[in-house]
Amino acid sequence: VDDAGLGTYPSYLGPAEMVFRIFEKEDPILWVRVNAFQLESLKSIALRMLRHSPYYMRSPNILTAGAMVPGEVPPYAFVGPVTILVCRDNDGAWSVAEEVQEAAKTGRALAPKVAKDGVVAIREADDALENLVDDSRHVLLLYMTDRLWYDQDGTVARLVQAAMDRKITIAMVHEQTPTLGGCPFSTFFQGQTPQVLLQPPYSLYNALAIPLYGSPEHRKVSLRHVLRRMGAAPCDAGLLWRKQKQLLHFMSVARLVRRRPLQQGESRDSQSRRSWNRYGQSDRDSGRQSWNRYGQ
């Protein structure tokens, strides 16, 4: 008899029956032994156990929205406009960028007030790096497969180097599905990556690459990690956290504006002064408001 006293489990033959229903009757569960991804694997197992228990078999709608586990990665959203740069010769990168864009849109819907300006655009890095003059923060998405550095003209390596010269964040996304070009990370050290990117001042792989898994549950976590790497904030973050992210956003945009090519008849001093007038004042105002609210 179950806990509610509503009768016996139909055709229940003991633990072996539950193991069969969870692990053999349905598709295999991807097991990942890495931090938040492991939580998703455990949550998938727990959900299957619950769905095959007597109570939830009679009330399956209760589990329609899934379950929450302490410590899981929350949705993320940007506090200001962001442009994701993609190399046209980096096969598959544009599709991944669209998934990241959609994940950011989902997070923005969960925090419509604080993330109302967090619009995400996608541009080809080849053209964008020539003239970075808009008001958004720029991030280069590098989709890592076994064919990453094999483009004919070395365009991907050149654009990565150019982005790092401009202090643009590189979000490395490492494909894990072999049929899509997934390979061990050590492959990139075996003669594939140009030496200039392995050595200082670039040292590309000093930053962590984010694994991109194929299963829907783990892919959701991957995309949220990508957003965090790009500078997004958790949707449930407090005001001070978001103010900090907003300040970093303004500083990043101002730095890129100062680094853009000079216009005809324009001096570097006048360009820097205009950048400060445009972004520095808003940064000071933001800091003063925060102090007035919390410091007094």
Side-chain angles (χ1 to χ4, degrees):
V1 179
D2 63 23
D3 293 339
L6 297 177
T8 58
Y9 187 89
S11 69
Y12 182 63
L13 302 177
E17 173 73 10
M18 183 63 78
V19 170
F20 171 77
R21 289 174 178 271
I22 295 173
F23 296 108
E24 299 179 30
K25 190 175 181 180
E26 300 186 43
D27 294 335
I29 294 174
L30 178 65
W31 179 257
V32 182
R33 295 181 59 186
V34 180
N35 300 331
F37 297 102
Q38 187 178 52
L39 284 178
E40 288 299 321
S41 298
L42 290 170
K43 187 165 70 173
S44 297
I45 295 173
L47 280 172
R48 285 194 184 181
M49 292 180 64
L50 291 173
R51 290 190 180 107
H52 289 293
S53 65
Y55 178 79
Y56 290 104
M57 287 184 70
R58 284 188 292 270
S59 306
N61 293 336
I62 298 177
L63 296 176
T64 301
M68 293 185 63
V69 178
E72 67 181 30
V73 180
Y76 275 73
F78 293 105
V79 297
V82 171
T83 299
I84 301 176
L85 305 180
V86 176
C87 306
R88 65 167 63 100
D89 291 328
N90 185 191
D91 294 339
W94 191 279
S95 176
V96 174
E98 289 179 332
E99 291 188 65
V100 175
Q101 184 184 45
E102 191 62 30
K105 187 183 299 183
T106 300
R108 186 180 172 208
L110 295 174
K113 293 183 179 179
V114 294
K116 59 186 172 107
D117 297 325
V119 179
V120 179
I122 305 174
R123 290 184 61 188
E124 288 191 354
D126 314 52
D127 301 325
L129 287 174
E130 295 295 330
N131 190 22
L132 295 174
V133 295
D134 56 38
D135 293 342
S136 67
R137 182 172 184 268
H138 293 76
V139 181
L140 178 67
L141 187 148
L142 188 63
Y143 180 50
M144 306 179 71
T145 68
D146 56 2
R147 302 298 300 173
L148 172 60
W149 304 111
Y150 285 103
D151 57 304
Q152 186 173 1
D153 300 324
T155 303
V156 175
R158 176 177 57 81
L159 291 174
V160 169
Q161 186 175 355
M164 297 184 79
D165 285 338
R166 291 166 172 78
K167 307 299 182 185
I168 293 175
T169 298
I170 310 293
M172 295 183 291
V173 182
H174 182 203
E175 178 60 62
Q176 300 294 302
T177 306
T179 55
L180 298 177
C183 62
F185 197 82
S186 59
T187 303
F188 301 112
F189 291 94
Q190 299 170 358
Q192 279 201 15
T193 308
Q195 285 298 312
V196 66
L197 295 177
L198 294 176
Q199 301 171 354
Y202 299 103
S203 302
L204 176 64
Y205 299 141
N206 280 2
L208 294 177
I210 298 154
L212 183 65
Y213 293 98
S215 68
E217 299 83 3
H218 296 87
R219 199 173 191 87
K220 174 186 65 178
V221 176
S222 295
L223 295 174
R224 289 177 179 178
H225 275 297
V226 174
L227 288 172
R228 182 169 65 177
R229 177 74 179 104
M230 291 180 171
C235 290
D236 57 355
L239 179 62
L240 284 178
W241 177 283
R242 292 190 174 279
K243 285 293 184 182
Q244 180 189 25
K245 287 292 184 181
Q246 190 174 35
L247 177 60
L248 292 175
H249 174 85
F250 286 140
M251 292 171 63
S252 173
V253 174
R255 182 176 65 244
L256 290 177
V257 171
R258 286 197 295 270
R259 286 176 174 268
R260 69 170 173 80
L262 294 175
Q263 299 177 1
Q264 185 175 3
E266 180 183 35
S267 68
R268 182 65 67 183
D269 289 341
S270 63
Q271 183 193 64
S272 299
R273 192 178 304 111
R274 183 166 61 254
S275 299
W276 167 252
N277 290 338
R278 188 173 186 182
Y279 297 101
Q281 185 64 43
S282 59
D283 290 348
R284 289 188 298 173
D285 292 344
S286 175
R288 187 181 299 113
Q289 291 171 4
S290 298
W291 170 252
N292 289 338
R293 184 165 185 176
Y294 297 98
Q296 293 181 345

CSV table of all heavy atoms in Angstrom, one decimal, residues 21-59:
chain,number,residue,atom,x,y,z
A,21,ARG,N,12.2,0.2,-15.2
A,21,ARG,CA,11.4,1.3,-15.7
A,21,ARG,C,12.3,2.6,-15.9
A,21,ARG,O,12.0,3.3,-16.8
A,21,ARG,CB,10.2,1.6,-14.7
A,21,ARG,CG,9.1,0.6,-14.7
A,21,ARG,CD,8.1,0.9,-13.7
A,21,ARG,NE,7.0,-0.1,-13.7
A,21,ARG,CZ,5.9,0.0,-14.4
A,21,ARG,NH1,5.8,1.1,-15.2
A,21,ARG,NH2,5.0,-0.9,-14.4
A,22,ILE,N,13.2,2.8,-15.0
A,22,ILE,CA,14.0,4.0,-15.0
A,22,ILE,C,15.2,3.9,-16.1
A,22,ILE,O,15.4,4.8,-16.8
A,22,ILE,CB,14.6,4.3,-13.6
A,22,ILE,CG1,13.5,4.6,-12.6
A,22,ILE,CG2,15.6,5.5,-13.7
A,22,ILE,CD1,14.0,4.7,-11.2
A,23,PHE,N,15.9,2.8,-16.1
A,23,PHE,CA,17.1,2.7,-16.9
A,23,PHE,C,17.0,1.9,-18.2
A,23,PHE,O,17.8,2.0,-19.0
A,23,PHE,CB,18.2,2.2,-16.0
A,23,PHE,CG,18.6,3.1,-14.8
A,23,PHE,CD1,18.2,2.7,-13.6
A,23,PHE,CD2,19.2,4.3,-15.0
A,23,PHE,CE1,18.6,3.5,-12.5
A,23,PHE,CE2,19.5,5.1,-14.0
A,23,PHE,CZ,19.2,4.7,-12.7
A,24,GLU,N,16.0,1.0,-18.3
A,24,GLU,CA,16.0,0.2,-19.4
A,24,GLU,C,14.8,0.5,-20.4
A,24,GLU,O,14.9,0.3,-21.6
A,24,GLU,CB,15.9,-1.3,-19.0
A,24,GLU,CG,17.2,-1.7,-18.2
A,24,GLU,CD,17.1,-3.1,-17.7
A,24,GLU,OE1,16.5,-4.0,-18.4
A,24,GLU,OE2,17.6,-3.5,-16.7
A,25,LYS,N,13.7,0.8,-19.8
A,25,LYS,CA,12.5,1.0,-20.6
A,25,LYS,C,12.6,2.3,-21.4
A,25,LYS,O,12.0,2.4,-22.5
A,25,LYS,CB,11.2,1.1,-19.7
A,25,LYS,CG,9.9,1.0,-20.4
A,25,LYS,CD,8.8,0.9,-19.5
A,25,LYS,CE,7.4,0.9,-20.2
A,25,LYS,NZ,6.3,0.8,-19.3
A,26,GLU,N,13.3,3.4,-20.9
A,26,GLU,CA,13.4,4.6,-21.6
A,26,GLU,C,14.8,4.8,-22.1
A,26,GLU,O,15.7,4.0,-21.8
A,26,GLU,CB,13.0,5.8,-20.6
A,26,GLU,CG,11.6,5.6,-20.1
A,26,GLU,CD,11.2,6.8,-19.2
A,26,GLU,OE1,11.5,8.0,-19.6
A,26,GLU,OE2,10.6,6.7,-18.2
A,27,ASP,N,15.0,6.0,-22.8
A,27,ASP,CA,16.3,6.3,-23.3
A,27,ASP,C,17.3,6.4,-22.2
A,27,ASP,O,17.0,6.9,-21.1
A,27,ASP,CB,16.3,7.5,-24.2
A,27,ASP,CG,15.4,7.4,-25.4
A,27,ASP,OD1,15.3,6.2,-25.9
A,27,ASP,OD2,14.9,8.4,-25.9
A,28,PRO,N,18.6,6.1,-22.5
A,28,PRO,CA,19.6,6.3,-21.4
A,28,PRO,C,19.8,7.7,-21.0
A,28,PRO,O,19.5,8.7,-21.7
A,28,PRO,CB,20.9,5.8,-22.1
A,28,PRO,CG,20.5,5.0,-23.3
A,28,PRO,CD,19.1,5.6,-23.7
A,29,ILE,N,20.1,7.9,-19.7
A,29,ILE,CA,20.4,9.2,-19.1
A,29,ILE,C,21.9,9.5,-19.2
A,29,ILE,O,22.7,8.7,-18.8
A,29,ILE,CB,19.9,9.2,-17.6
A,29,ILE,CG1,18.4,9.1,-17.5
A,29,ILE,CG2,20.3,10.6,-17.0
A,29,ILE,CD1,17.9,8.9,-16.1
A,30,LEU,N,22.2,10.7,-19.8
A,30,LEU,CA,23.6,11.1,-19.9
A,30,LEU,C,24.1,11.4,-18.5
A,30,LEU,O,23.6,12.2,-17.8
A,30,LEU,CB,23.7,12.3,-20.8
A,30,LEU,CG,25.1,12.9,-20.9
A,30,LEU,CD1,26.0,11.9,-21.7
A,30,LEU,CD2,25.0,14.3,-21.7
A,31,TRP,N,25.2,10.7,-18.1
A,31,TRP,CA,25.8,10.9,-16.8
A,31,TRP,C,27.1,11.8,-17.0
A,31,TRP,O,28.0,11.4,-17.7
A,31,TRP,CB,26.2,9.6,-16.2
A,31,TRP,CG,26.8,9.8,-14.8
A,31,TRP,CD1,28.1,9.7,-14.5
A,31,TRP,CD2,26.2,10.2,-13.6
A,31,TRP,NE1,28.4,9.9,-13.2
A,31,TRP,CE2,27.2,10.2,-12.6
A,31,TRP,CE3,24.8,10.4,-13.3
A,31,TRP,CZ2,26.9,10.6,-11.3
A,31,TRP,CZ3,24.5,10.8,-12.0
A,31,TRP,CH2,25.5,10.8,-11.0
A,32,VAL,N,27.1,13.0,-16.4
A,32,VAL,CA,28.2,13.9,-16.4
A,32,VAL,C,28.7,14.1,-15.0
A,32,VAL,O,28.0,14.6,-14.2
A,32,VAL,CB,27.9,15.2,-17.1
A,32,VAL,CG1,29.1,16.1,-17.2
A,32,VAL,CG2,27.3,14.9,-18.5
A,33,ARG,N,30.0,13.9,-14.8
A,33,ARG,CA,30.5,14.0,-13.4
A,33,ARG,C,31.2,15.4,-13.2
A,33,ARG,O,32.3,15.5,-12.8
A,33,ARG,CB,31.5,12.9,-13.1
A,33,ARG,CG,30.8,11.5,-13.1
A,33,ARG,CD,31.9,10.5,-12.7
A,33,ARG,NE,32.5,10.7,-11.4
A,33,ARG,CZ,33.5,10.0,-11.0
A,33,ARG,NH1,34.0,9.0,-11.7
A,33,ARG,NH2,34.1,10.3,-9.8
A,34,VAL,N,30.5,16.4,-13.6
A,34,VAL,CA,31.1,17.8,-13.5
A,34,VAL,C,30.1,18.7,-12.9
A,34,VAL,O,29.1,19.1,-13.5
A,34,VAL,CB,31.5,18.3,-14.9
A,34,VAL,CG1,32.1,19.7,-14.7
A,34,VAL,CG2,32.5,17.4,-15.5
A,35,ASN,N,30.2,19.1,-11.6
A,35,ASN,CA,29.5,20.1,-11.0
A,35,ASN,C,28.0,20.2,-11.3
A,35,ASN,O,27.3,19.2,-11.1
A,35,ASN,CB,30.2,21.5,-11.3
A,35,ASN,CG,31.6,21.5,-10.8
A,35,ASN,OD1,32.0,20.8,-9.8
A,35,ASN,ND2,32.4,22.3,-11.5
A,36,ALA,N,27.6,21.3,-11.9
A,36,ALA,CA,26.2,21.5,-12.2
A,36,ALA,C,25.6,20.5,-13.1
A,36,ALA,O,24.4,20.2,-13.1
A,36,ALA,CB,25.9,22.9,-12.7
A,37,PHE,N,26.4,20.0,-14.0
A,37,PHE,CA,26.0,19.0,-15.0
A,37,PHE,C,25.6,17.7,-14.3
A,37,PHE,O,24.7,17.0,-14.7
A,37,PHE,CB,27.0,18.7,-16.1
A,37,PHE,CG,27.3,20.0,-16.9
A,37,PHE,CD1,28.5,20.7,-16.7
A,37,PHE,CD2,26.5,20.4,-17.9
A,37,PHE,CE1,28.7,21.8,-17.4
A,37,PHE,CE2,26.7,21.5,-18.7
A,37,PHE,CZ,27.9,22.2,-18.4
A,38,GLN,N,26.3,17.3,-13.2
A,38,GLN,CA,26.0,16.1,-12.5
A,38,GLN,C,24.7,16.3,-11.8
A,38,GLN,O,23.9,15.3,-11.7
A,38,GLN,CB,27.1,15.9,-11.5
A,38,GLN,CG,27.0,14.5,-10.7
A,38,GLN,CD,28.1,14.3,-9.8
A,38,GLN,OE1,28.4,15.1,-8.9
A,38,GLN,NE2,28.7,13.1,-9.9
A,39,LEU,N,24.4,17.5,-11.3
A,39,LEU,CA,23.1,17.7,-10.7
A,39,LEU,C,22.0,17.5,-11.7
A,39,LEU,O,20.9,16.9,-11.3
A,39,LEU,CB,23.0,19.2,-10.2
A,39,LEU,CG,23.7,19.5,-8.9
A,39,LEU,CD1,23.6,21.0,-8.6
A,39,LEU,CD2,23.3,18.7,-7.7
A,40,GLU,N,22.1,17.8,-12.9
A,40,GLU,CA,21.1,17.6,-13.9
A,40,GLU,C,20.9,16.1,-14.2
A,40,GLU,O,19.8,15.6,-14.4
A,40,GLU,CB,21.5,18.3,-15.2
A,40,GLU,CG,21.3,19.8,-15.2
A,40,GLU,CD,19.9,20.2,-14.9
A,40,GLU,OE1,18.9,19.6,-15.4
A,40,GLU,OE2,19.7,21.2,-14.1
A,41,SER,N,22.0,15.3,-14.2
A,41,SER,CA,21.9,13.9,-14.3
A,41,SER,C,21.2,13.3,-13.1
A,41,SER,O,20.3,12.4,-13.3
A,41,SER,CB,23.3,13.3,-14.4
A,41,SER,OG,24.0,13.7,-15.5
A,42,LEU,N,21.5,13.7,-11.9
A,42,LEU,CA,20.8,13.2,-10.7
A,42,LEU,C,19.4,13.6,-10.8
A,42,LEU,O,18.5,12.8,-10.4
A,42,LEU,CB,21.5,13.7,-9.5
A,42,LEU,CG,22.9,13.2,-9.2
A,42,LEU,CD1,23.5,13.9,-8.0
A,42,LEU,CD2,22.8,11.7,-8.8
A,43,LYS,N,19.1,14.8,-11.2
A,43,LYS,CA,17.7,15.2,-11.3
A,43,LYS,C,16.9,14.4,-12.3
A,43,LYS,O,15.7,14.1,-12.0
A,43,LYS,CB,17.6,16.7,-11.6
A,43,LYS,CG,16.3,17.3,-11.5
A,43,LYS,CD,16.3,18.8,-11.5
A,43,LYS,CE,16.7,19.4,-12.8
A,43,LYS,NZ,16.6,20.9,-12.9
A,44,SER,N,17.5,14.1,-13.4
A,44,SER,CA,16.8,13.3,-14.4
A,44,SER,C,16.4,11.9,-13.8
A,44,SER,O,15.3,11.4,-14.1
A,44,SER,CB,17.7,13.1,-15.6
A,44,SER,OG,17.9,14.3,-16.2
A,45,ILE,N,17.4,11.3,-13.0
A,45,ILE,CA,17.1,10.0,-12.4
A,45,ILE,C,16.0,10.1,-11.4
A,45,ILE,O,15.0,9.3,-11.4
A,45,ILE,CB,18.4,9.5,-11.8
A,45,ILE,CG1,19.4,9.2,-12.8
A,45,ILE,CG2,18.0,8.2,-11.0
A,45,ILE,CD1,20.8,8.8,-12.2
A,46,ALA,N,16.0,11.2,-10.6
A,46,ALA,CA,15.0,11.4,-9.6
A,46,ALA,C,13.6,11.6,-10.2
A,46,ALA,O,12.6,11.1,-9.7
A,46,ALA,CB,15.4,12.6,-8.7
A,47,LEU,N,13.6,12.4,-11.3
A,47,LEU,CA,12.3,12.6,-11.9
A,47,LEU,C,11.7,11.3,-12.5
A,47,LEU,O,10.5,11.1,-12.4
A,47,LEU,CB,12.5,13.7,-13.0
A,47,LEU,CG,12.5,15.1,-12.6
A,47,LEU,CD1,12.9,16.0,-13.8
A,47,LEU,CD2,11.2,15.6,-12.0
A,48,ARG,N,12.5,10.5,-13.0
A,48,ARG,CA,12.0,9.2,-13.5
A,48,ARG,C,11.5,8.3,-12.4
A,48,ARG,O,10.4,7.7,-12.5
A,48,ARG,CB,13.1,8.5,-14.3
A,48,ARG,CG,13.4,9.0,-15.7
A,48,ARG,CD,14.2,8.1,-16.5
A,48,ARG,NE,14.5,8.7,-17.8
A,48,ARG,CZ,15.2,8.1,-18.7
A,48,ARG,NH1,15.6,6.8,-18.5
A,48,ARG,NH2,15.5,8.7,-19.9
A,49,MET,N,12.2,8.3,-11.3
A,49,MET,CA,11.7,7.6,-10.1
A,49,MET,C,10.3,8.1,-9.7
A,49,MET,O,9.4,7.3,-9.4
A,49,MET,CB,12.7,7.7,-9.0
A,49,MET,CG,14.0,6.9,-9.3
A,49,MET,SD,15.2,7.1,-7.9
A,49,MET,CE,14.3,6.2,-6.6
A,50,LEU,N,10.2,9.4,-9.6
A,50,LEU,CA,9.0,10.0,-9.1
A,50,LEU,C,7.8,9.7,-10.1
A,50,LEU,O,6.7,9.4,-9.7
A,50,LEU,CB,9.1,11.5,-9.0
A,50,LEU,CG,10.0,12.0,-7.8
A,50,LEU,CD1,10.2,13.5,-7.9
A,50,LEU,CD2,9.5,11.6,-6.5
A,51,ARG,N,8.1,9.8,-11.4
A,51,ARG,CA,7.0,9.6,-12.4
A,51,ARG,C,6.5,8.2,-12.4
A,51,ARG,O,5.4,7.9,-12.7
A,51,ARG,CB,7.6,10.0,-13.8
A,51,ARG,CG,7.8,11.4,-14.0
A,51,ARG,CD,8.1,11.8,-15.5
A,51,ARG,NE,8.3,13.2,-15.7
A,51,ARG,CZ,9.5,13.7,-15.9
A,51,ARG,NH1,10.5,12.9,-16.1
A,51,ARG,NH2,9.6,15.0,-16.1
A,52,HIS,N,7.3,7.2,-11.9
A,52,HIS,CA,6.9,5.9,-11.9
A,52,HIS,C,6.4,5.4,-10.5
A,52,HIS,O,6.1,4.3,-10.3
A,52,HIS,CB,8.0,4.9,-12.3
A,52,HIS,CG,8.3,5.0,-13.8
A,52,HIS,ND1,7.4,4.6,-14.7
A,52,HIS,CD2,9.4,5.5,-14.4
A,52,HIS,CE1,8.0,4.8,-15.9
A,52,HIS,NE2,9.1,5.3,-15.8
A,53,SER,N,6.4,6.4,-9.6
A,53,SER,CA,5.8,6.1,-8.2
A,53,SER,C,4.3,6.2,-8.3
A,53,SER,O,3.7,6.9,-9.1
A,53,SER,CB,6.4,7.1,-7.2
A,53,SER,OG,6.0,8.4,-7.5
A,54,PRO,N,3.6,5.5,-7.4
A,54,PRO,CA,2.1,5.5,-7.5
A,54,PRO,C,1.4,6.8,-7.4
A,54,PRO,O,0.5,7.1,-8.2
A,54,PRO,CB,1.7,4.6,-6.3
A,54,PRO,CG,2.9,3.8,-6.0
A,54,PRO,CD,4.1,4.6,-6.4
A,55,TYR,N,1.9,7.7,-6.5
A,55,TYR,CA,1.3,9.0,-6.3
A,55,TYR,C,1.3,9.8,-7.6
A,55,TYR,O,0.3,10.4,-8.1
A,55,TYR,CB,1.9,9.7,-5.2
A,55,TYR,CG,1.3,11.1,-5.0
A,55,TYR,CD1,0.1,11.3,-4.3
A,55,TYR,CD2,2.0,12.3,-5.4
A,55,TYR,CE1,-0.4,12.6,-4.1
A,55,TYR,CE2,1.5,13.5,-5.3
A,55,TYR,CZ,0.3,13.7,-4.6
A,55,TYR,OH,-0.3,14.9,-4.4
A,56,TYR,N,2.5,9.9,-8.2
A,56,TYR,CA,2.7,10.8,-9.4
A,56,TYR,C,2.2,10.1,-10.7
A,56,TYR,O,1.9,10.8,-11.6
A,56,TYR,CB,4.2,11.2,-9.5
A,56,TYR,CG,4.6,12.1,-8.4
A,56,TYR,CD1,5.4,11.7,-7.4
A,56,TYR,CD2,4.2,13.5,-8.5
A,56,TYR,CE1,5.8,12.6,-6.4
A,56,TYR,CE2,4.6,14.4,-7.4
A,56,TYR,CZ,5.4,13.9,-6.4
A,56,TYR,OH,5.8,14.7,-5.4
A,57,MET,N,2.0,8.8,-10.7
A,57,MET,CA,1.4,8.2,-11.8
A,57,MET,C,-0.1,8.6,-11.9
A,57,MET,O,-0.6,8.7,-13.0
A,57,MET,CB,1.5,6.7,-11.7
A,57,MET,CG,3.0,6.2,-12.0
A,57,MET,SD,3.1,4.4,-12.0
A,57,MET,CE,2.2,4.0,-13.5
A,58,ARG,N,-0.7,8.8,-10.7
A,58,ARG,CA,-2.1,9.2,-10.7
A,58,ARG,C,-2.2,10.7,-10.9
A,58,ARG,O,-3.3,11.2,-11.3
A,58,ARG,CB,-2.7,8.8,-9.4
A,58,ARG,CG,-3.1,7.4,-9.3
A,58,ARG,CD,-3.9,7.1,-8.0
A,58,ARG,NE,-3.1,7.2,-6.8
A,58,ARG,CZ,-2.4,6.3,-6.3
A,58,ARG,NH1,-2.3,5.1,-6.8
A,58,ARG,NH2,-1.7,6.5,-5.2
A,59,SER,N,-1.1,11.5,-10.6
A,59,SER,CA,-1.2,13.0,-10.8
A,59,SER,C,0.1,13.4,-11.5
A,59,SER,O,0.9,14.2,-11.0
A,59,SER,CB,-1.2,13.6,-9.4
A,59,SER,OG,-2.3,13.2,-8.6
